[in-house]
Each structure stands twice: as structure tokens, then as C-alpha cells.
């Protein structure tokens, strides 16, 4: 890879590694949060046409039991966003396990406004995995909250009612078990039916308003309404009328939810007497039932008469999943034949005899977006089966998004607007193309790369890959001679048999899937963690080069006394469930392998362990990420303690807030020593965290240590509380807090300002000026929308060259669909060895970005550009931000063309290259080269062709002739 465009170019060797057999897991379930039901009293539809479409959290269930929670990465959760949904949190599944079905519900539906999208803190998440247990997840702590048995055998399907008060389970024994969810509980409510077949799919019918009082005459309504507001409260309720199940005996059954009696049995087609399996089912607002079965048929039924309305031979094999558009005018089905089919409701022109308009369903489109079986479909905004008078309206100028997943491990996002809508210009929120209709728009395949699954030990030249319960380590031989060609011009194919060898393969005894692992720089230590225990191994190299791990048996007992118990409710006795173990979300060794930094599972503490002695020794615990936030005035300051008298002085980063327009000074280390939020004495038995200290369940999943081992950076994210999410002044995204620690003195150093987006990656990079005192103390923060910030830890400030870097990347990377997964500094020597060049490398699943670390970055960016991109610090949004941006531009005497020209001038002088040769990439990192101070690149790829080769052959049917 060439690092300089000049005549004296420097190249860095590249190891292209395709031997790493890290296998991603198939996507088996998708779920979006439901929307609250509208008020029964106010039957008028919303007239707020200017309201922006907001996007909710996407839950992605995998065949290995993990559940990824993805958030829409755009300001205010609104379109458009080139990155779309980005994984922000992973719930590790028990080992072994799988996820077959997912369901979101609203914890307290009465507290959510009608037009609001529930935040993650407002939701409850349920999953089933083929067994008889239903799992409810503790989203904030990334662990199982409770389990409950179905009492009816294996769970084949589950669905929550529109009001989020009941959960229906379709069971193996032919029954439907109804669970009550009211008041954040999970109890058995009733049993419906008992037939000799399996309940393969289930869906709730449209709810109806509760009729608690007899209708009153018109002249008495006003007086009666004014007498009692409590009666109005009773009227503002919905009740469920019926539900329908798809069964394994070639039938659908309609059930009365009140009496539990079967209302209708609807038979489907059979072939040669074999049973037809109804794999998926859905219900529209007018009561129409839609079914997809094992014959590839999609049928529409009249729920009142139980008769078939339409039948389509849309698929060549089983129809496994279905999604319904928000307005109920389009239906999407998919399954084994990898084809996604669109059905639309069209209006038929009335004939001369009949003057009324009529509608019918037709098959209007089909696309093949996957290369293997499609297991699940989901649509945002979600469809709620409501009567037409209560039907929810959405902004007509933004296309809904269809999400799909299957055995090819990739999530596919596609805009799904109807082509018949020509009233307004419809925007594509995914920015994949100008078109937004399902047939014409480009879909986006999200790469299955996940940060942290593959790690590299630079000094020992080791590559480690973690699976659900195992770990494999390879060594790149120093005798290998990778080509120094520029990857922009040539296609390298390194990683041959002579270049690498497998040196360690481990099968571990774990309770959940592995969530973090790390190998030390010199290859002498290995740390692995699941949700409940962190294991530490010493690695010894024998004569043939193989690694022999020796476990430090008492490592958990060393950490456990310093990890407090999980908090419990007031008056609740302490049980074994409050002992959360020693599981870690992130692990990092210092470059000299003398210390190990452990970030525990949520609520996260940062533990520092000394490894220089024969036995690991605990040094200190930090809990700054759990300190309660303060809200002086209208600004939130992360991690400030409130004063005892309840009065909080306006402070920023620990110092008194300056007057309007003044500069903000960072907190000094001496001030931190007074109250640094750490526990100096941890010898006592673990105690429950206090309410004042544990103000949230913050998760510290990102750690970074400087090359000299002096500085530790940590970043946390947490879902906003219900109270804060209701406030318009708080960010809709997860709150981010970044703390810096000094590992030499084992103390807290400073706190960075809060950012509106969670941190995607942390890394220490070199500065363009190598002679600078703080050349290796620059902390790089990347965010899911591909924006970056650089903070000088030594000087406690944002350096000017960091603003130039931020401006360049903001212009070049914001439109890239894949979010940044990592960044580091690479060094290369010229051909004669007389000079060294440095470059900053960013990488994602599908691209590598190279920026030269030279004096061009030290050139300051335009003042207007810096001010226009500091809105994340000023907390401006919407029209107010646009208005202030125009005022700033007018005050500077600049028009839009002049601003665009200055931005181009800034990026034109910086050396920038985009590399798309490798994809999809699991990891890009550097290893030490043969020469002192030189480095080599390691690019770990996992091509889709290799992944699909491990699966059974996909369904294929010749259109013409015979196979």
C-alpha cells in the first residue's frame, strides 16, 4: 500500500488473510417496536403533515442465540441516513441456543404519546428458541431478565397484541397460551384451544374500542361528558376480539380471545394428501387474513365468512415470512426460493351498472435480494391492524423500509414505496438511489462484519478469532514476503500456506456466547470473557511454534470482591441473581503486557489488574461512567455529582460554567483526586450500589490504550430514561460519556464533552507533527455516521489539525453506507530506507480510507466549516439549527458557493485515498515488520462465497428445460 504520491513513495506490505474461518450466524428473526394505540376518544386523524418520520430500534435475532440491537444513526432518528441502522448493542445468548422468534412490547403503554416512537428504555423484548421457555431480556444490562415455561411444549410462534398487554404463544401441543404483560409482569393468563396439530404461526385481529357505557342521545352527551372525567378514561381503552393461528394440519383457525372458543376453521389446499404447513400469517385493519404456506401459496381470506378472496402461486417453495406496509395497502412475502414478492391493493374502476369503487389484491412486483433461504421480514413503520377511522397516518414523502434476513447471514434493507403513489416526491431514507419504490430502488446489503470478533497481536504477529464457545489463533510467519504493491493498482492474494500456521485451538466451557477476547502485544497473555466470567490464560510457545495455554484458576476470585452486586428494588432480598459474575464487555492489555484493563458487564466498572507478578494483582476500580448526570439550566453535563443541598452550580467538565461566549476549560487531574468516583478500598465484601451512584446502567464497550501505555480512554453508552426521552431538549440517541485515565498513576485524568451520538470506535493515533510532545496522545473518536473527533489528552484540548481531519472525513465519508469499524496509524519506509511515511487508516466492512499524516492536516479548516459542524456541541436541531447556520454564514459574508469552495479547498490539500479491493473485512490491523519501526498490514476477509459454501445448497429451479 503506497503511503505517498510523491516520487519517493513508501509502501507497506499487506497480508491478505482468508484462512480465518470465522463463521457469521444466520439471521432468523427481526422485530421492530410497536407504536402506541391511538386514543379512542379523539377519533380525528393527525393533521401534522410536517411531522418527520422517526425510526425505531431494530432487533436482529441470530441462529447462535445472539440478538443485535440496531439504532437509526441520524439526527433525531429522522431520515435520511446513509448508514441506516447500526448495531449498538449485542445481547449474548446462552450457549447453546438459538432465536426463532422475537417480539417487542411497550412496558407502560399509557405513558407513551400517540405519535411518539418508543425508546429502547420503554420497551420489553421477548424471544423463543425452539424450546419450551420464553425469555425476557434485560436490555439495559444485556442479560436475561426472566424465563417462563410455556406449559404447552415447544414454542413455535409468538405475537403480542396491539395494546402490548398480552403475549400469545403458539405451542407444540396445539394450544395457544396467553401471558399477561400488564404492569411490567409476566404471568400465565389463560389457555386457548386444544387441537391435534402445531400452532406454527399466530396473529392478532383488529382491536375494538371498549364499550363500557350504553350510547347516549346527542343532547345529553355534553352534560354527561362534563360530569366525570374518570368515565372518559374508561372509554379510552381497546379490547382484543379474536386471533388467528396457522396450523400444521392444512388449516387456519380463528379463536375468540374472550371465551377461548374456536370461531372458524379454514382449510387450505393439499397435494397428494400431504399436510400443508401454514408458516406465516397476518391480519389487516379490515379483518382480512393473509396466509403463506408450504406450497408457495399466498392467500387472502375474509375473516367474517372464512372464505378465500384471492390466491397467488407466488413462490416455488415454502413461504416462511410476511410483512405488511404501514397503511395496510401492500404485503410482502418471502421464503425458501429467496424471492421477495410484493402484493398491492388496487382500485378497480366502477362499471356502468355499479357506481361504487371496489378494490382487489394483485401481485405487483418481485425481487431476489438474498442468495439463500429468507427466514424473516419486518417493516418500518410497523403495521397496526386498526379500523379505518383510527388508522394512523405517516408522512407521505418518505418511503417505508423493508428489512429481511436469512441463511446468507446478511441483513438487507430496501425502500418499499408503492409505485402508484405519484402525488408527492417520495424520498429514499437509505440514500441507495433516487428511486424509492420497491421495484425500482436499489436495496442495501448490510455486511455481517462485527467489531471485536477477530483480534491481532502486533508484536507476536498473532491473529485470534472467537466463535460462540471457542477460540482459534494463527501466527503469520516472519519469513513471509508479502507484496509491497499498491493495493489501489494491484489485487494482492497473500496468506498462502507458507505464510501462516494455526498455533492454538480452544473449546471453552461457557454459559453464554463469548462477547470479548484479547491477546497481549507480546503474545504471552490471553483473556476471554462471556457474560458471566472472564478467563485469563498464560501462553507459552513450545519448540514447534505451537501455543500452550495455562489458565489462571483464581482470576475470577481476584476480581469478584471488587465488583458490586446488581442493584435490587427497595426491600427486595439479595439472592444469587444479584451476583453477576466477572463477565466483561471489553478487555485491553497495555503495550508492555504489564496490565489488563477489564470493563465489566452493565452496569460497567473499569478494573485495572497488574500482571507483572507471579499472581495477578488487583490495582483499582473506576466507576465514573455510573455517576449521576446533572442538568444545570438547559444543558446536560455527564457525570456530575449533585451537591448535598440539592443545588448544582453551572459547571462544564467539573469547573464553573463561564459567562456566555467564554471558553470551556477541562478539569485538572488535581481536582479529580478530590472526588474521582473510584473506590480506593475494595477489600470489603461486595455491597449493592447506591441509588445515587447507579443512576443508569451504563455499558462501557469501548476501550483504548495509548502506544506508550500511559493513557486509557473509555466510552460508555446507555439508553435515555423515560423521563429524559420525553424531553425535547435531550438527544434521542444514547448518551455518551468518555473518560480518560492515567495508567501510570492509576487515576482519573479528565472527562470529554458529551456527544449526541454513541462512540463507534476509540483509538490513539499519531499527530501530523512527529516532533510534538503529545504526538502519541491524540485520541480519535469515530461515530456511526462516520464523523470523527480528535482530542489531545496531554493538552486537554481539541487540536486544530483534528478539526481539519474532521472536515475532510465529514465531506468524504458521510455518504458511505458502512460505518467505521476501526482506525490506526501505519508507518512505512521508502525503498532506500532513508525516510518514513505515516498514514492514518480507517476501515469498515467494505472499504479502507487512507489519509496522509503530513503538514497538510495542520492547515486549519475554514472557520465557517468548523462552526457549522459543531452543532453536536451546541445541541441545535431542526429549523433552529438551519436558521442559525444561515445567520452565521450571512454574518461572515459568505454565500453557499463560497462555503462549498472553501470546504473543497480544505479537503483538496489533504492526501486521501479510498480502497475497495477487499470485502467483506472482519479486521484490519498492523503487525510489527522485520525492520525496527516498520509495520505490515493484516487484512482479514471472509468472502460471501466462502460463507455460502458451508451451507446446504440453496433452492434452485430451472425456468426452462430440465436440470
Amino acid at each position: 500500500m503506497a503511503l505517498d504520491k510523491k516520487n519517493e513513495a513508501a509502501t507497506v506490505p499487506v497480508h491478505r488473510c482468508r484462512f480465518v474461518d470465522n463463521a457469521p450466524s444466520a439471521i432468523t428473526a427481526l422485530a421492530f417496536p410497536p407504536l402506541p394505540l391511538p386514543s379512542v376518544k379523539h377519533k380525528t386523524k393527525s393533521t401534522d403533515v410536517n411531522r418527520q418520520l422517526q425510526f425505531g430500534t431494530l432487533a436482529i435475532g441470530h441462529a447462535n442465540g445472539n440478538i443485535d440491537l440496531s439504532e437509526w444513526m441520524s439526527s433525531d432518528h429522522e431520515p435520511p441516513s446513509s448508514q441506516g441502522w447500526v448495531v449498538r448493542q449485542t445481547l449474548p445468548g446462552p450457549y447453546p441456543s438459538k432465536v426463532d422468534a422475537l417480539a417487542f412490547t411497550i412496558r407502560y403503554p399509557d405513558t407513551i404519546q400517540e405519535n411518539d416512537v418508543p425508546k429502547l428504555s420503554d420497551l420489553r423484548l421477548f424471544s423463543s428458541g425452539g424450546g419450551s421457555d420464553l425469555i425476557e431480556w434485560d436490555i439495559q444490562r444485556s442479560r436475561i431478565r426472566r424465563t417462563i415455561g410455556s406449559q404447552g411444549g415447544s414454542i413455535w410462534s409468538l405475537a403480542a397484541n396491539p395494546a402490548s398487554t398480552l403475549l400469545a404463544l403458539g405451542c407444540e401441543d396445539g394450544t395457544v397460551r396467553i401471558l399477561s404483560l400488564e404492569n411490567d409482569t409476566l404471568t400465565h393468563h389463560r389457555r386457548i384451544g386444544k387441537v391435534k396439530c402445531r400452532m406454527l404461526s399466530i396473529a392478532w385481529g383488529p382491536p375494538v374500542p371498549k364499550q363500557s357505557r350504553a350510547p347516549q342521545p346527542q343532547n345529553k352527551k355534553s352534560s354527561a361528558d362534563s360530569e366525570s372525567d374518570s368515565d372518559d378514561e374508561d372509554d379510552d381503552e381497546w379490547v382484543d376480539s379474536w386471533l388467528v393461528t396457522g396450523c400444521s394440519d392444512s388449516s387456519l383457525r380463528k379463536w375468540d380471545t374472550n371465551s377461548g372458543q374456536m370461531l372458524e376453521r379454514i382449510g387450505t389446499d393439499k397435494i397428494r394428501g400431504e399436510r400443508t404447513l401454514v408458516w406465516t400469517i397476518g391480519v389487516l385493519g379490515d379483518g382480512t387474513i393473509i396466509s403463506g404456506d408450504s406450497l408457495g401459496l399466498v392467500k387472502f381470506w375474509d375473516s367474517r365468512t372464512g372464505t378465500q378472496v384471492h390466491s397467488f402461486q407466488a413462490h416455488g417453495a415454502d413461504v416462511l415470512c410476511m410483512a405488511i406496509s404501514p397503511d395496510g395497502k401492500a404485503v410482502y412475502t418471502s421464503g425458501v426460493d429467496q424471492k421477495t414478492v410484493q402484493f398491492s391493493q388496487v382500485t378497480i374502476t366502477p362499471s356502468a351498472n355499479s357506481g361504487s369503487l371496489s378494490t382487489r389484491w394483485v401481485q405487483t412486483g418481485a425481487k431476489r435480494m438474498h442468495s439463500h433461504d429468507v427466514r424473516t421480514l419486518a417493516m418500518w413503520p410497523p403495521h397496526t391492524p386498526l379500523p379505518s377511522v383510527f388508522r394512523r397516518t405517516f408522512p407521505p414523502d418518505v418511503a417505508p423500509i423493508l428489512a429481511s434476513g436469512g441463511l446468507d447471514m446478511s441483513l438487507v434493507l430496501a425502500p418499499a414505496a408503492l409505485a402508484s403513489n405519484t402525488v408527492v416526491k417520495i424520498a429514499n431514507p437509505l440514500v441507495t438511489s433516487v428511486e424509492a419504490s420497491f421495484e425500482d430502488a436499489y436495496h442495501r446489503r448490510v455486511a455481517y462484519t462485527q467489531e471485536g470478533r477477530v483480534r491481532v497481536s502486533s508484536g507476536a504477529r498473532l491473529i485470534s478469532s472467537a466463535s460462540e464457545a471457542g477460540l482459534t489463533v494463527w501466527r503469520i510467519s516472519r519469513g513471509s514476503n508479502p507484496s509491497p504493491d499498491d493495493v489501489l493498482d494491484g489485487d494482492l492474494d497473500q496468506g498462502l500456506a507458507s505464510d501462516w500456521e494455526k498455533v492454538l485451538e480452544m473449546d471453552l466451557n461457557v454459559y453464554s456466547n463469548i462477547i470479548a477476547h484479547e491477546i497481549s502485544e507480546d503474545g504471552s497473555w490471553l483473556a476471554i470473557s462471556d457474560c458471566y466470567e472472564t478467563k485469563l490464560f498464560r501462553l507459552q510457545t513450545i519448540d514447534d511454534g505451537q501455543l500452550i495455554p495455562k489458565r489462571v484458576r483464581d482470576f475470577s476470585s481476584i476480581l469478584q470482591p471488587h465488583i458490586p452486586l446488581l442493584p435490587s428494588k427497595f426491600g427486595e432480598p439479595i439472592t444469587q441473581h444479584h451476583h453477576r459474575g466477572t463477565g466483561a464487555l471489553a478487555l485491553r492489555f497495555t503495550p508492555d503486557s504489564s496490565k489488563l484493563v477489564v470493563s465489566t458487564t452493565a452496569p460497567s466498572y473499569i478494573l485495572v489488574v497488574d500482571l507483572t507478578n507471579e499472581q495477578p494483582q488487583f490495582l483499582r476500580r473506576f466507576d465514573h461512567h455510573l455517576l449521576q448526570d446533572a442538568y444545570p439550566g438547559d444543558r446536560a453535563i455527564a457525570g456530575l455529582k449533585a451537591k448535598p443541598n440539592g443545588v448544582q452550580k453551572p459547571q462544564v467538565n467539573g469547573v464553573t460554567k463561564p459567562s456566555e461566549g467564554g471558553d470551556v476549560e477541562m478539569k485538572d487531574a488535581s481536582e479529580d483526586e478530590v472526588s474521582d468516583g473510584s473506590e480506593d478500598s475494595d477489600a470489603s465484601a461486595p455491597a449493592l450500589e447506591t441509588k445515587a451512584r447507579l443512576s443508569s446502567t451504563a455499558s462501557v464497550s469501548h476501550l483504548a490504550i495509548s502506544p506508550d501505555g500511559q493513557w486509557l480512554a473509555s466510552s460508555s453508552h446507555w439508553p435515555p430514561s423515560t423521563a429524559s426521552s420525553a424531553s425535547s431538549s435531550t438527544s434521542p440517541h444514547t448518551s455518551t460519556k468518555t473518560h480518560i485515565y492515567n495508567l501510570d498513576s492509576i487515576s482519573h485524568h479528565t472527562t470529554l464533552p458529551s456527544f449526541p451520538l454513541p462512540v463507534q470506535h476509540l483509538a490513539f493515533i499519531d499527530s501530523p507533527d512527529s516532533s510534538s510532545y503529545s504526538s502519541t496522545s491524540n485520541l480519535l473518536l469515530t461515530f456511526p455516521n462516520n464523523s470523527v473527533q480528535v482530542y489531545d489528552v496531554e493538552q486537554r484540548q481539541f487540536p486544530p489539525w483534528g478539526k481539519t481531519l474532521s472536515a475532510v472525513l465529514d465531506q468524504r465519508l458521510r455518504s458511505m453506507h458502512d460505518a467505521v469499524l476501526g482506525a490506526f496509524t501505519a508507518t512505512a519506509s521508502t525503498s532506500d530506507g532513508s525516510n518514513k511515511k505515516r498514514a492514518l487508516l480507517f476501515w469498515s466492512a467494505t472499504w479502507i480510507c487512507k489519509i496522509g499524516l503530513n503538514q497538510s492536516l495542520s492547515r486549519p479548516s475554514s472557520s465557517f466549516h468548523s462552526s457549522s459542524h459543531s452543532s453536536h456541541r451546541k445541541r441545535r436541531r431542526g429549523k433552529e439549527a438551519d436558521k442559525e447556520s444561515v445567520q452565521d454564514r450571512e454574518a461572515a459574508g459568505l454565500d453557499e458557493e463560497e462555503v462549498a469552495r472553501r470546504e473543497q479547498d480544505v479537503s483538496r490539500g489533504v492526501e486521501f485515498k479510498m480502497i475497495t479491493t477487499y470485502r467483506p473485512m472482519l479486521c484490519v490491523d498492523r503487525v510489527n515488520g522485520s525492520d525496527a519501526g516498520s509495520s505490515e498490514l493484516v487484512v482479514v476477509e471472509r468472502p460471501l462465497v466462502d460463507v455460502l459454501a458451508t451451507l446446504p445448497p440453496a433452492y434452485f429451479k430451472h425456468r426452462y428445460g430440465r436440470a
Side-chain angles (χ1 to χ4, degrees):
M1 178 183 292
L3 295 187
D4 198 354
K5 294 182 179 180
K6 298 180 181 180
N7 296 331
E8 194 178 5
T11 58
V12 56
V14 178
H15 296 273
R16 193 171 187 177
C17 305
R18 291 188 173 183
F19 53 81
V20 177
D21 56 354
N22 186 282
S25 182
I27 297 176
T28 54
L30 296 173
F32 281 113
L35 298 179
L37 292 178
S39 173
V40 175
K41 296 180 294 182
H42 308 93
K43 297 183 180 181
T44 57
K45 297 182 180 180
S46 175
T47 58
D48 187 9
V49 296
N50 296 324
R51 179 171 51 91
Q52 291 287 337
L53 178 64
Q54 295 186 344
F55 290 82
T57 303
L58 172 61
I60 307 170
H62 294 273
N64 62 0
N66 287 350
I67 300 176
D68 295 331
L69 299 180
S70 302
E71 292 185 9
W72 183 265
M73 287 304 159
S74 177
S75 60
D76 297 333
H77 281 210
E78 297 172 358
S81 173
S82 298
Q83 293 76 32
W85 280 282
V86 178
V87 176
R88 294 307 313 147
Q89 184 181 356
T90 297
L91 308 179
Y95 180 80
S97 65
K98 62 178 180 176
V99 177
D100 284 337
L102 288 173
F104 272 119
T105 63
I106 304 176
R107 180 174 282 107
Y108 299 108
D110 296 337
T111 62
I112 308 298
Q113 297 297 323
E114 179 179 337
N115 294 324
D116 288 345
V117 175
K119 304 296 188 298
L120 201 57
S121 57
D122 302 323
L123 298 173
R124 302 172 68 182
L125 179 60
F126 300 91
S127 69
S128 64
S132 60
D133 289 335
L134 176 73
I135 298 177
E136 180 182 2
W137 292 89
D138 188 339
I139 298 177
Q140 293 183 335
R141 294 172 183 164
S142 301
R143 61 178 63 226
I144 295 176
R145 183 185 181 189
R146 59 165 74 106
T147 60
I148 187 172
S150 67
Q151 301 180 1
S154 299
I155 301 173
W156 281 87
S157 57
L158 63 91
N161 68 336
S164 292
T165 57
L166 298 174
L167 187 66
L169 309 180
C171 300
E172 174 83 17
D173 64 349
T175 62
V176 177
R177 306 285 174 158
I178 306 296
L179 304 180
S180 174
L181 307 178
E182 292 187 354
N183 300 322
D184 201 21
T185 60
L186 183 63
T187 58
H188 281 275
H189 180 63
R190 69 176 308 157
R191 189 194 75 176
I192 293 179
K194 179 69 174 178
V195 293
K196 295 182 179 180
C197 64
R198 297 167 178 167
M199 300 296 188
L200 300 180
S201 54
I202 191 169
W204 291 82
V208 296
K210 182 178 180 180
Q211 301 296 330
S212 61
R213 294 182 299 176
Q216 297 181 2
Q218 185 68 26
N219 57 355
K220 295 184 179 180
K221 280 188 176 181
S222 59
S223 60
D225 291 343
S226 60
E227 288 177 359
S228 175
D229 292 336
S230 60
D231 291 341
D232 291 341
E233 297 286 341
D234 295 337
D235 286 343
D236 195 15
E237 293 182 8
W238 295 85
V239 295
D240 300 295
S241 54
W242 54 272
L243 58 83
V244 60
T245 57
C247 306
S248 61
D249 62 347
S250 310
S251 68
L252 291 78
R253 287 177 170 85
K254 181 181 175 183
W255 307 89
D256 189 320
T257 57
N258 296 319
S259 63
Q261 300 298 318
M262 184 172 64
L263 302 177
E264 194 80 35
R265 184 186 185 276
I266 306 172
T268 60
D269 298 346
K270 293 184 180 180
I271 293 182
R272 295 185 296 271
E274 295 183 1
R275 290 188 174 186
T276 301
L277 308 178
V278 183
W279 288 115
T280 181
I281 201 165
V283 179
L284 300 179
D286 60 359
T288 300
I289 300 174
I290 313 164
S291 65
D293 56 40
S294 57
L295 301 180
L297 296 173
V298 178
K299 294 178 178 289
F300 292 77
W301 309 86
D302 188 333
S303 62
R304 291 169 294 182
T305 61
T307 58
Q308 177 180 299
V309 180
H310 302 290
S311 179
F312 301 94
Q313 184 66 55
H315 297 271
D318 298 49
V319 182
L320 301 179
C321 49
M322 176 190 307
I324 304 174
S325 65
D327 56 3
K329 295 182 179 180
V331 175
Y332 301 87
T333 59
S334 191
V336 175
D337 64 352
Q338 311 115 44
K339 184 171 60 175
T340 303
V341 180
Q342 180 191 53
F343 302 91
S344 302
Q345 189 180 38
V346 298
T347 302
I348 301 177
T349 305
S351 60
N353 297 330
S354 62
S356 59
L357 297 175
S358 60
T359 60
R360 64 169 296 145
W361 288 90
V362 296
Q363 182 176 334
T364 55
K367 294 174 67 174
R368 183 168 275 105
M369 301 183 292
H370 289 267
S371 53
H372 218 287
D373 298 7
V374 181
R375 294 288 304 274
T376 176
L377 291 174
M379 176 73 75
W380 183 265
H383 172 70
T384 306
L386 292 174
S388 58
V389 66
F390 297 102
R391 187 172 298 168
R392 186 180 282 106
T393 59
F394 298 97
D397 58 344
V398 180
I401 297 179
L402 177 67
S404 59
L407 299 186
D408 59 358
M409 292 89 172
S410 296
L411 173 70
V412 172
L413 304 175
L418 292 176
S420 59
N421 191 348
T422 59
V423 179
V424 296
K425 176 65 175 179
I426 302 178
N428 181 353
L430 297 174
V431 203
T432 55
S433 60
V434 178
E435 298 293 335
S437 62
F438 175 74
E439 288 183 293
D440 301 330
Y442 291 109
H443 61 272
R444 182 192 163 206
R445 180 186 291 270
V446 181
Y448 44 72
T449 300
Q450 193 170 12
E451 183 184 6
R453 302 300 297 175
V454 177
R455 304 294 298 174
V456 174
S457 173
S458 301
R461 300 171 66 91
L462 299 176
I463 301 176
S464 61
S465 173
S467 59
E468 287 77 19
L471 185 84
T472 307
V473 181
W474 294 266
R475 177 184 288 113
I476 300 177
S477 174
R478 289 189 180 273
S480 60
N481 186 23
S483 171
D485 294 339
D486 189 353
V487 297
L488 295 175
D489 302 327
D491 185 15
L492 304 182
D493 191 10
Q494 302 302 319
L496 303 178
S498 59
D499 299 330
W500 60 271
E501 60 176 341
K502 184 184 293 186
V503 295
L504 178 62
E505 190 168 6
M506 303 173 63
D507 291 326
L508 302 170
N509 183 18
V510 294
Y511 297 98
S512 74
N513 295 334
I514 294 176
I515 57 179
H517 78 282
E518 185 76 5
I519 295 185
S520 63
E521 191 79 6
D522 59 359
S524 61
W525 294 96
L526 170 66
I528 309 174
S529 177
D530 64 358
C531 190
Y532 303 99
E533 184 182 11
T534 298
K535 298 179 174 65
L536 181 64
F537 298 87
R538 297 178 186 268
L539 298 180
Q540 297 179 354
T541 304
I542 58 179
D543 295 338
D544 59 354
Q546 297 293 307
L547 295 178
I548 303 299
K550 182 179 180 181
R551 183 180 175 183
V552 180
R553 292 290 178 180
D554 53 352
F555 185 67
S556 293
S557 60
I558 295 174
L559 297 183
Q560 190 66 67
H562 309 284
I563 303 177
L565 307 178
L566 288 175
S568 62
K569 295 181 180 179
F570 180 76
E572 180 181 355
I574 299 177
T575 64
Q576 60 179 358
H577 298 291
H578 295 92
H579 296 271
R580 56 178 174 181
T582 59
L585 294 178
L587 300 163
R588 289 293 182 273
F589 289 97
T590 54
D592 59 357
S593 304
S594 63
K595 297 183 182 69
L596 170 64
V597 181
V598 179
S599 171
T600 66
T601 54
S604 292
Y605 294 90
I606 297 178
L607 310 179
V608 182
V609 181
D610 183 20
L611 303 177
T612 56
N613 300 322
E614 184 68 22
Q615 193 76 3
Q617 182 179 3
F618 175 82
L619 295 179
R620 196 167 185 182
R621 184 188 81 198
F622 298 106
D623 55 0
H624 296 77
H625 290 280
L626 301 179
L627 298 182
Q628 186 174 10
D629 289 352
Y631 296 88
D634 58 349
R635 184 171 180 180
I637 308 299
L640 282 186
K641 291 183 178 180
K643 287 185 175 296
N645 58 3
V647 179
Q648 179 66 48
K649 298 178 66 176
Q651 292 184 341
V652 176
N653 299 308
V655 298
T656 304
K657 184 178 179 180
S659 59
E660 194 66 25
D663 295 332
V664 176
E665 297 180 359
M666 306 303 294
K667 185 191 293 185
D668 293 331
S670 59
E671 300 174 9
D672 279 313
E673 294 299 326
V674 179
S675 176
D676 63 356
S678 61
E679 297 295 335
D680 295 326
S681 177
D682 295 309
S684 59
L688 287 178
E689 296 136 342
T690 63
K691 181 179 179 181
R693 174 146 318 218
L694 188 60
S695 60
S696 72
T697 53
S699 299
V700 180
S701 55
H702 297 283
L703 296 174
I705 299 178
S706 60
D708 56 3
Q710 180 181 4
W711 305 110
L712 166 67
S714 61
S715 181
S716 64
H717 70 92
W718 50 8
S721 63
T722 304
S724 63
S725 62
S727 174
S728 60
S729 62
T730 57
S731 172
H733 289 286
T734 53
S735 176
T736 297
K737 293 194 295 186
T738 304
H739 293 274
I740 309 297
Y741 304 92
N742 190 324
L743 291 181
D744 289 344
S745 59
I746 317 295
S747 62
H748 185 266
H749 179 67
T750 189
T751 304
L752 270 65
S754 301
F755 300 98
L757 288 178
V759 172
Q760 182 78 2
H761 180 74
L762 288 176
F764 282 91
I765 61 174
D766 295 347
S767 64
D769 185 8
S770 59
S771 61
S772 174
Y773 172 72
S774 57
S775 60
T776 60
S777 63
N778 299 284
L779 177 64
L780 176 72
L781 303 94
T782 65
F783 301 95
N785 62 350
N786 288 345
S787 61
V788 301
Q789 292 291 332
V790 179
Y791 181 76
D792 192 330
V793 176
E794 292 275 3
Q795 303 298 326
R796 300 173 185 259
Q797 65 181 2
F798 294 90
W801 67 268
K803 298 179 182 179
T804 303
L805 176 65
S806 177
V808 172
L809 294 182
D810 187 76
Q811 183 181 0
R812 299 294 188 96
L813 297 185
R814 278 293 186 97
S815 60
M816 302 301 293
H817 292 296
D818 293 306
V820 175
L821 295 178
F824 57 91
T825 304
T827 305
S829 302
T830 56
S831 57
D832 57 358
S834 60
N835 195 8
K836 289 185 179 293
K837 304 293 183 181
R838 295 176 302 153
L840 183 59
L841 298 182
F842 296 86
W843 67 275
S844 76
T846 57
W847 52 264
I848 299 176
C849 165
K850 179 181 73 68
I851 297 180
L853 278 177
N854 46 44
Q855 295 302 322
S856 61
L857 275 181
S858 301
R859 192 170 129 198
S861 60
S862 63
S863 59
F864 172 74
H865 191 283
S866 300
S867 62
S868 63
H869 286 82
S870 62
S871 59
H872 63 278
R873 295 190 300 269
K874 298 178 182 179
R875 310 282 182 166
R876 298 172 181 170
R877 295 187 185 88
K879 295 182 178 179
E880 180 184 354
D882 296 338
K883 182 178 179 181
E884 295 183 0
S885 179
V886 172
Q887 292 176 353
D888 293 342
R889 188 174 65 237
E890 292 177 351
L894 303 176
D895 55 9
E896 295 183 1
E897 294 182 358
E898 178 65 17
V899 172
R901 187 188 64 80
R902 291 195 179 189
E903 291 178 356
Q904 292 178 359
D905 291 342
V906 172
S907 60
R908 189 177 294 119
V910 177
E911 180 189 346
F912 180 93
K913 287 185 179 179
M914 183 66 70
I915 305 164
T916 58
T917 306
Y918 316 105
R919 64 175 60 191
M921 290 174 282
L922 302 181
C923 179
V924 178
D925 209 333
R926 64 184 183 275
V927 295
N928 296 341
S930 55
D931 299 333
S934 63
S935 59
E936 302 172 1
L937 290 189
V938 174
V939 180
V940 181
E941 295 177 280
R942 189 61 170 158
L944 179 61
V945 176
D946 296 345
V947 174
L948 295 179
T950 63
L951 301 176
Y955 171 85
F956 177 75
K957 183 177 181 181
H958 286 270
R959 178 171 295 185
Y960 305 105
R962 297 181 179 178

